[in-house]
Amino acid sequence: MTINEKQDEIIEEFELFSDWMDKYENIIEIGKELPLIDPKYKVPEKLIKGCQSSVWLQPEMIDGNVVFTADSDAIITKGLISMMVRVLSGHTPQEIVDADLYFINAIGLQTHLSPNRSNGLLSMLGQMKSYAAGFVAQDK
């Protein structure tokens, strides 16, 4: 599944909910699906800077694709990083670097998240793209 197909899938899931309380519940449920990060990566070096909550992110190259694992100590934030992992994990570094993550605005996250969470979401995206860019640079 492409990055855009994964984004479209998330957009469709959120269209099922008209109320933002239901959407927040969905974000929490999505967070529960996040594959657990190996505890050895829950170290300060793996924390995403710019997030109010603690968010750990670990990238690995597997068969030419970046596979992310992550965790957070906050339930909404865990749902947000889970969506980011779902969309970007399993793609080539270049696909991740080039990705336009339109699902964030399409489901209304930019307008319904607190400024701190919104900034944290942008930090998550920035860190994931930064890791991907590092893998692209290694290949050159």
Side-chain angles (χ1 to χ4, degrees):
M1 202 181 271
T2 68
I3 288 174
N4 286 350
E5 288 170 338
K6 290 178 183 179
Q7 291 188 87
D8 293 341
E9 188 176 78
I10 289 173
I11 292 166
E12 284 179 32
E13 288 171 16
F14 274 80
E15 286 174 350
L16 298 174
F17 307 103
S18 57
D19 179 72
W20 258 93
M21 290 311 295
D22 293 334
K23 290 181 182 188
Y24 279 124
E25 282 297 318
N26 190 48
I27 292 170
I28 291 167
E29 288 304 311
I30 289 169
K32 292 177 182 176
E33 299 168 9
L34 183 65
L36 293 179
I37 192 169
D38 190 315
K40 71 181 179 184
Y41 297 123
K42 289 180 92 171
V43 294
E45 301 80 46
K46 297 297 177 180
L47 281 171
I48 296 177
K49 291 167 184 54
C51 288
Q52 185 177 9
S53 305
S54 295
V55 181
W56 298 270
L57 180 67
Q58 171 61 25
E60 290 184 60
M61 280 295 287
I62 300 175
D63 299 326
N65 293 321
V66 182
V67 175
F68 292 103
T69 54
D71 196 8
S72 176
D73 61 355
I75 58 173
I76 296 284
T77 306
K78 188 170 185 166
L80 297 174
I81 191 65
S82 181
M83 285 190 285
M84 301 296 286
V85 166
R86 179 174 161 189
V87 169
L88 295 176
S89 194
H91 295 281
T92 68
Q94 193 63 57
E95 288 173 324
I96 294 167
V97 168
D98 295 340
D100 170 29
L101 295 191
Y102 55 84
F103 85 94
I104 294 168
N105 287 329
I107 64 175
L109 285 177
Q110 288 296 80
T111 55
H112 286 90
L113 291 178
S114 69
N116 285 338
R117 280 202 182 115
S118 190
N119 288 338
L121 183 62
L122 293 175
S123 295
M124 292 175 209
L125 174 59
Q127 186 62 56
M128 293 174 96
K129 285 191 173 233
S130 177
Y131 278 134
F135 287 128
V136 169
Q138 286 177 1
D139 286 345
K140 293 185 177 183

